[in-house]
Amino acid sequence: MRLLQYNNDGDSSLAEFFEGDIPEEVIFKDLTNGTSKGKASYRKIQFCGEQARRNGLQYFWVDTCCIDKSNAVELQEAINSMFRWYQDATKCYVYLPDVSRPRTDPADGSNEDWGPTFRKSLWFSRG
């Protein structure tokens, strides 16, 4: 299994683990050839790394880029194992770029309801 490790310099790098040792989308190839930061979707990886760091975690995993989908054996193993990986995770984050934080106005105590926007998120309709 591959995880992304959030480094002290604010960057992330790939770390590979074997069973029992596990402490457009950016894909595995983008991380290995250094082109990931040029993609708009790199923000999702930054978000996950920053949130993991805030939660005191050193490693994090993003399904779109920690699996080498060009390797059929690895892809099949990942598909078969993904539920267990999520189930055993210390934390799970979902990046919803189409859902913004609710606006609050401390002056009058108003708070915009985020529920309807959340339920309309594209995340619920992806395969």
Side-chain angles (χ1 to χ4, degrees):
M1 171 185 212
R2 289 184 191 89
L3 297 175
L4 288 164
Q5 181 176 9
Y6 198 76
N7 302 320
N8 290 334
D9 63 1
D11 205 359
S12 57
S13 60
L14 278 172
E16 190 164 355
F17 296 88
F18 298 95
E19 199 65 33
D21 296 333
I22 299 172
E24 49 225 318
E25 295 289 349
V26 172
I27 61 172
F28 175 76
K29 183 179 177 183
D30 299 325
L31 288 173
T32 59
N33 70 15
T35 61
S36 61
K37 291 180 184 177
K39 290 193 168 185
S41 59
Y42 187 73
R43 178 66 195 123
K44 177 171 74 171
I45 295 167
Q46 288 177 303
F47 162 81
C48 188
E50 291 163 3
Q51 187 61 48
R53 175 178 251 172
R54 282 191 292 274
N55 291 135
L57 301 172
Q58 184 179 9
Y59 298 100
F60 63 103
W61 181 76
V62 177
D63 61 355
T64 58
C65 61
C66 290
I67 301 168
D68 182 0
K69 295 178 186 122
S70 68
N71 179 325
V73 173
E74 179 175 335
L75 178 59
Q76 188 60 48
E77 192 266 330
I79 290 168
N80 292 339
S81 302
M82 205 172 294
F83 177 80
R84 181 176 42 83
W85 294 345
Y86 283 120
Q87 184 179 37
D88 294 343
T90 301
K91 299 272 185 183
C92 285
Y93 311 113
V94 178
Y95 182 71
L96 304 173
D98 58 339
V99 178
S100 60
R101 291 173 53 177
R103 283 183 253 149
T104 58
D105 185 351
D108 66 7
S110 65
N111 189 2
E112 186 178 307
D113 184 21
W114 56 270
T117 305
F118 177 75
R119 285 188 285 282
K120 291 178 187 172
S121 175
L122 295 173
W123 184 79
F124 292 107
S125 62
R126 62 179 229 172

